[in-house]
Amino acid sequence: MGVMGVWVVGAVADDRIEEARRRFPDAAGVHGTWPMSSADMSQWCEPLAPEELLDGTSEQAARIDEIVRFADAVHRVRNDETEVDEFQDYLLHAVPQQESKGMFCSAVPRGDGGAALMWGLGRDTALRIPGCCGEFLFDAAQVSAALPAAEQALLLPPPRRARVTARIRMWLDEMADDPNCDIDELIDGPLRVLRYAARTGVGAVGLTLWY
């Protein structure tokens, strides 16, 4: 039986964000946060080959072991929240239930859409995107505060977008079973949701689920 990675970014009303934080304080407190320890951050950064993952992007093609190493690093740095199943189930039911301006969903057989995007953007940009590797829990005020950094990371001029797209395709070819993945939507969808949330004065969540 195959595994499906689902990355969801959705707009959520502030009262639902507050309820999630009240009902699941431990899970909500760490969801989408980077490790507090600088040593943990160093352990996340150091295994990644800087010539391949910096925004400048090496001309040398990334090797499969480098892609796998990055995938492992993303998996490690995402928090293993307590109460995670109930917490994520609550958030999943709080977002809009079909794709729209307020909801983006990437379902990748044997893959991880959030990690694919982080790889495509490069390590330095991944570190600057609000949240942690595609996961976050923002109320309306936090969405407004996070939006400028998200726009800086995801509004790509054509030459850079072409490089990011090629890197995402490389990731998917090596790490997933989805040759028809909509890469443009993978880049544009999360920012669309954050802009919608900021425009309408609501919060937003990002979560990764495995089925």
Side-chain angles (χ1 to χ4, degrees):
M1 182 179 294
V3 174
M4 178 74 72
V6 180
W7 181 34
V8 176
V9 178
V12 178
D14 264 13
D15 60 345
R16 300 296 297 273
I17 298 290
E18 293 170 3
E19 177 71 3
R21 290 171 173 167
R22 184 187 67 79
R23 289 178 56 187
F24 310 100
D26 294 336
V30 298
H31 182 76
T33 61
W34 289 94
M36 296 297 293
S37 166
S38 59
D40 288 340
M41 286 296 292
S42 296
Q43 290 174 9
W44 188 76
C45 291
E46 286 172 0
L48 311 180
E51 69 274 15
E52 297 298 333
L53 297 179
L54 292 174
D55 288 342
T57 306
S58 170
E59 293 298 322
Q60 179 185 358
R63 298 190 303 271
I64 178 60
D65 61 318
E66 293 163 348
I67 294 176
V68 170
R69 192 160 62 245
F70 185 86
D72 289 343
V74 170
H75 177 74
R76 287 196 309 273
V77 82
R78 286 176 175 156
N79 288 288
D80 183 16
E81 304 96 342
T82 58
E83 306 170 318
V84 64
D85 290 338
E86 289 185 73
F87 173 68
Q88 290 197 330
D89 187 63
Y90 175 88
L91 293 181
L92 189 61
H93 285 85
V95 304
Q97 296 303 294
Q98 60 184 11
E99 289 197 68
S100 62
K101 292 181 180 179
M103 199 276 274
F104 158 80
C105 179
S106 170
V108 181
R110 202 175 58 85
D112 182 336
L117 178 60
M118 297 305 112
W119 164 265
L121 293 169
R123 182 191 66 189
D124 285 4
T125 300
L127 289 168
R128 292 196 300 267
I129 293 177
C132 176
C133 294
E135 296 189 333
F136 53 87
L137 180 67
F138 295 155
D139 57 33
Q142 291 171 316
V143 167
S144 294
L147 186 57
E151 289 180 329
Q152 185 178 33
L154 295 170
L155 289 176
L156 306 174
R160 171 145 168 76
R161 188 179 180 101
R163 291 196 299 272
V164 169
T165 298
R167 287 171 60 82
I168 292 173
R169 172 53 58 199
M170 183 189 306
W171 171 282
L172 294 171
D173 287 346
E174 297 292 352
M175 297 295 295
D177 293 330
D178 191 2
N180 299 314
C181 179
D182 188 340
I183 295 177
D184 286 333
E185 179 65 2
L186 188 62
I187 296 170
D188 297 334
L191 182 58
R192 181 188 68 240
V193 173
L194 288 174
R195 283 175 155 176
Y196 172 84
R199 188 169 63 251
T200 56
V202 299
V205 302
L207 61 156
T208 303
L209 309 119
W210 294 93
Y211 298 102

